[in-house]
Amino acid sequence: MKVVLLLMVLLTVSGCDGMRVVGQTGQNVTLPCKYDIKYHGAVEVCWGKGEIPACKQHYSTPAYGCNNQLLSTKGYKVETRASSRYQLLGRLDQGDVSLTILNFTDEDAGRYGCRVQITGPFNDEKHQFDLAFERDEKLLRF
């Protein structure tokens, strides 16, 4: 029983990574997220601010499995978007679901997550980013 529980915990966190990204205030910043669309086909993806839940179906999380959901796709189409500042500028038909935040501000700093919903248990690809800000020195000079 303990071995099964340990295996389930390890499988739940598999596929998560973490990367620190620094954005410059007033500029656009892109958080990369890609999946193998030739292998998996077009799938549902969501971007959220904060941690990605370990379980995609939980009473306090949206159906696609992102906390504080910013954007979601279904196949080749963006389904929901919290603000026009959140854009997918990559090629969805090639599995590029990288999130671009337009006109980045220091309030945008924090943890972000991309969840690619792959069919089957424990198959989702999860990518985490810690987004920090750097002030544009040119804007601070008088």
Side-chain angles (χ1 to χ4, degrees):
M1 180 68 173
K2 290 180 184 179
V3 174
V4 172
L5 181 60
L6 177 61
L7 181 60
M8 287 181 66
V9 169
L10 290 174
L11 287 172
T12 300
V13 297
S14 70
C16 280
D17 51 10
M19 183 181 358
R20 181 174 160 79
V21 176
V22 178
Q24 195 170 54
T25 55
Q27 302 296 316
N28 298 342
V29 63
T30 299
L31 304 176
C33 187
K34 297 179 181 179
Y35 69 96
D36 188 345
I37 197 166
K38 289 180 182 175
Y39 182 77
H40 297 293
V43 298
E44 295 178 359
V45 175
C46 67
W47 275 96
K49 190 158 185 190
E51 293 288 329
I52 299 173
C55 177
K56 65 183 168 195
Q57 295 295 332
H58 187 269
Y59 68 89
S60 65
T61 61
Y64 296 154
C66 284
N67 286 328
N68 301 311
Q69 188 165 288
L70 303 173
L71 188 141
S72 68
T73 70
K74 189 169 188 172
Y76 300 110
K77 182 180 175 207
V78 173
E79 289 280 298
T80 64
R81 185 186 327 262
S83 166
S84 61
R85 293 182 55 234
Y86 303 120
Q87 298 287 324
L88 299 182
L89 302 178
R91 300 272 316 259
L92 269 64
D93 62 336
Q94 293 179 1
D96 184 354
V97 288
S98 300
L99 178 70
T100 298
I101 302 172
L102 305 178
N103 193 25
F104 180 70
T105 67
D106 54 350
E107 290 88 22
D108 292 320
R111 177 152 278 209
Y112 287 80
C114 171
R115 175 184 230 121
V116 179
Q117 189 173 333
I118 306 297
T119 304
F122 306 112
N123 288 338
D124 289 0
E125 294 177 11
K126 300 175 232 168
H127 306 278
Q128 302 266 107
F129 301 90
D130 291 308
L131 182 54
F133 70 93
E134 179 179 279
R135 295 195 192 282
D136 187 346
E137 294 299 322
K138 291 180 269 184
L139 295 176
L140 298 177
R141 294 185 189 155
F142 293 75

